[in-house]
């Protein structure tokens, strides 16, 4: 039902906007219209993630609550495409002494809780917006386990990278996830669904401080350069001005 309308709209459109070059992929319906497609990336609102008075105390409280162990953090809607079950499976192979915090909730929450057998996996529910940045800053690894191109970009991924949390991602063909975080440059990218490789990536980052800092620094720099609301607004203005001309 939707596909016919989608085809008609794409055919008639003067301009199509994609959030990443990766999404202009042969598997996407916009691929045949790539000559009239421009990329305008999503952007984080930096002001939401700068340190505020009192944040240091909150961050310390989060870490203290989990006995100052290394924190692997996930936040997002608990839906199938988020791949949270891969994180739960990967936990069995993680050798590091760490805690895994799963924030958010959704239709998959109860199923995910039922499959969890480790007491180092904690479901912490919805995190109020005013505390989200503190969880990003408190975490060491950002577990971004999305597993289909239904995850077109990953705004939470960009937010975490801005706060210095190093991501581990899956390779997702046709998704912008692997454009936001570049494997071997801003984090570690592993083959889709390979939970042992995912666990190994987490262990490697937690064991190698120099590698961790290299990715953390490069990650924040990439977000500042490419994925802020200011840059997105400028890109949108440029392409829409060109269209008007």
């Amino acid at each position: 039902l939707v596909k016919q309308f989608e085809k008609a709209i794409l055919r008639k459109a003067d301009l199509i906007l994609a959030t990443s070059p990766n999404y202009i992929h042969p598997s996407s319906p916009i691929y045949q219209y790539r000559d009239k497609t421009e990329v305008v990336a999503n952007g984080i609102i930096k002001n939401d993630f700068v340190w505020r008075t009192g944040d240091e105390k909150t961050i310390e409280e989060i870490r203290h609550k989990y006995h100052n162990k290394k924190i692997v953090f996930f936040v997002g809607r608990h839906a199938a495409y988020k791949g949270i079950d891969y994180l739960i499976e990967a936990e069995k192979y993680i050798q590091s002494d760490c805690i895994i915090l799963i924030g958010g909730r959704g239709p998959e929450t109860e199923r995910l809780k039922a499959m969890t057998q480790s007491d180092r996996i904690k479901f912490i529910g919805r995190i109020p917006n005013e505390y989200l940045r503190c969880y990003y800053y408190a975490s060491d690894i950002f577990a971004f386990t999305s597993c289909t191109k239904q995850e077109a970009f990953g705004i939470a991924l960009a937010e975490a990278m801005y706060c210095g949390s190093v991501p581990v991602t899956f390779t997702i063909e046709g998704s912008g996830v692997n454009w936001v975080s570049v494997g071997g440059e801003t984090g570690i990218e592993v083959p889709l669904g390979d939970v042992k490789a995912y666990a190994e990536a987490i262990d490697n980052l937690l064991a190698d401080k120099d590698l961790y800092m290299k990715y953390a620094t490069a990650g924040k720099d990439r977000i500042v350069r490419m994925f802020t609301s200011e840059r997105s607004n400028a890109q949108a203005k440029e392409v829409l001005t060109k269209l008007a001309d």
Side-chain angles (χ1 to χ4, degrees):
L1 179 64
V2 172
K3 198 168 185 179
Q4 296 307 312
F5 288 104
E6 180 184 68
K7 284 182 178 179
I9 292 169
L10 291 174
R11 186 173 62 252
K12 293 179 179 180
D14 295 299
L15 173 67
I16 299 168
L17 298 180
T19 53
S20 78
N22 294 22
Y23 214 64
I24 311 170
H25 186 271
S27 64
S28 170
I30 68 174
Y31 184 73
Q32 64 178 306
Y33 303 107
R34 58 193 179 278
D35 58 329
K36 59 178 181 180
T37 299
E38 298 280 356
V39 173
V40 176
N42 291 330
I44 70 165
I45 300 173
K46 289 190 298 181
N47 191 54
D48 288 348
F49 300 97
V50 297
W51 281 57
R52 288 168 171 74
T53 302
D55 281 359
E56 186 172 358
K57 181 181 178 182
T58 303
I59 292 165
E60 287 178 358
E61 288 173 349
I62 294 169
R63 289 173 175 160
H64 180 72
K65 181 177 181 179
Y66 300 105
H67 309 290
N68 293 311
K69 292 185 178 183
K70 298 292 185 180
I71 294 175
V72 177
F73 180 48
F74 168 93
V75 66
R77 185 167 183 266
H78 296 182
Y81 76 93
K82 290 291 187 178
I84 306 169
D85 48 347
Y86 287 131
L87 178 58
I88 294 171
E89 288 295 326
E91 181 276 332
K92 301 172 184 176
Y93 305 101
I94 297 172
Q95 301 299 310
S96 305
D97 185 18
C98 63
I99 202 82
I100 298 173
L101 304 183
I102 299 178
R105 54 182 176 232
E108 292 276 292
T109 302
E110 295 308 315
R111 183 186 71 83
L112 294 167
K113 286 182 177 180
M115 70 177 286
T116 300
Q117 299 179 348
S118 173
D119 61 3
R120 65 175 177 170
I121 298 177
K122 310 293 184 184
F123 286 81
I124 59 176
R126 182 184 175 277
I127 301 170
N129 289 338
E130 61 267 29
Y131 293 114
L132 180 58
R133 65 181 177 277
C134 294
Y135 276 89
Y136 284 140
Y137 281 115
S139 67
D140 299 282
I141 305 295
F142 190 61
F144 198 77
T145 48
S146 292
C147 55
T148 79
K149 66 176 183 178
Q150 192 172 345
E151 186 72 79
F153 184 85
I155 196 68
L157 174 60
E159 292 170 352
M161 290 166 64
Y162 180 81
C163 296
S165 187
V166 176
V168 179
T169 60
F170 286 125
T171 303
I172 311 172
E173 192 175 75
S175 167
V177 167
N178 309 122
W179 182 55
V180 178
S181 178
V182 180
E185 181 180 321
T186 63
I188 298 180
E189 178 184 324
V190 303
L192 183 59
D194 190 335
V195 294
K196 289 185 178 180
Y198 203 91
E200 183 179 357
I202 290 172
D203 282 332
N204 288 342
L205 285 170
L206 294 180
D208 191 334
K209 186 176 181 180
D210 290 340
L211 180 65
Y212 180 91
M213 291 307 301
K214 173 186 172 183
Y215 288 160
T217 301
K220 180 166 186 175
D221 179 67
R222 184 169 178 81
I223 301 307
V224 170
R225 286 187 294 106
M226 298 179 63
F227 304 117
T228 64
S229 57
E230 293 88 351
R231 179 166 173 77
S232 295
N233 290 340
Q235 288 177 323
K237 183 177 180 180
E238 181 181 344
V239 298
L240 292 173
T241 299
K242 188 190 303 182
L243 179 66
D245 293 342

